[in-house]
Amino acid sequence: PIAEHLWQPGDIALFKSPQKSDPSHVGFLADYRHGGFSLIHAHADQDCREHVLDERWRRLLVEVYSPW
């Protein structure tokens, strides 16, 4: 895992579901057009989505890794 101050677009983010404590979902960090980061991910029954990395998603964030 890498510290938040080292995050950059393209890093891999592991998330948990609200009902679990272990990672169960993965996405990529991206530049959010209004500043900060967004999360790009896909869900089994939905298309690919992009969400601002807001407090809701940060509560579910477990770790971020750099593929570089």
Side-chain angles (χ1 to χ4, degrees):
I2 57 174
E4 185 170 349
H5 72 278
L6 298 174
W7 292 359
Q8 59 183 332
D11 286 345
I12 300 165
L14 298 179
F15 291 84
K16 62 182 181 175
S17 72
Q19 302 84 12
K20 298 180 181 179
S21 60
D22 293 328
S24 60
H25 197 65
V26 66
F28 295 94
L29 295 182
D31 278 327
Y32 186 58
R33 64 182 169 199
H34 300 293
F37 288 103
S38 63
L39 167 68
I40 298 174
H41 66 114
H43 193 274
D45 60 351
Q46 299 174 358
D47 294 333
C48 185
R49 305 285 179 173
E50 182 175 12
H51 302 279
V52 62
L53 189 60
D54 59 12
E55 287 305 313
R56 175 182 177 253
W57 285 103
R58 284 179 177 271
R59 281 193 305 274
L60 300 174
L61 182 64
V62 176
E63 294 176 334
V64 175
Y65 291 88
S66 176
W68 320 114

